[in-house]
Amino acid sequence: AVLERPRSALVLTILAVILNTAVNAALIFGFWIVPEMGVVGAGIGSSLVNLVVLLLFFWYIARDPQFSSYRLS
């Protein structure tokens, strides 16, 4: 359970905060080839980052031997 091994959840959450900051800044203010989108960019960026982190959590659970008895993958 997460209470026994919090490191993976902590690492993914910290990664989510860093990614969210970078992607939101790029989409709000417009960097490189990304157009300036304002508040809409913040929503899109947050949604994309949350989707990526969700997929990373699923990937981690599928690879963790502790969850193999549940046959999730």
Side-chain angles (χ1 to χ4, degrees):
V2 175
L3 293 176
E4 297 169 359
R5 299 180 308 165
R7 182 170 298 163
S8 59
L10 176 67
V11 168
L12 285 175
T13 303
I14 290 172
L15 176 69
V17 170
I18 293 169
L19 279 175
N20 199 24
T21 303
V23 171
N24 279 348
L27 290 176
I28 291 171
F29 302 114
F31 291 125
W32 303 292
I33 60 171
V34 180
E36 182 177 338
M37 299 176 77
V39 176
V40 174
I44 292 171
S46 293
S47 296
L48 288 175
V49 169
N50 283 320
L51 177 64
V52 167
V53 172
L54 176 68
L55 294 175
L56 287 173
F57 270 115
F58 282 150
W59 175 78
Y60 175 75
I61 289 171
R63 293 199 49 192
D64 194 336
Q66 181 180 359
F67 296 107
S68 64
S69 63
Y70 297 112
R71 296 186 179 103
L72 299 172
S73 59

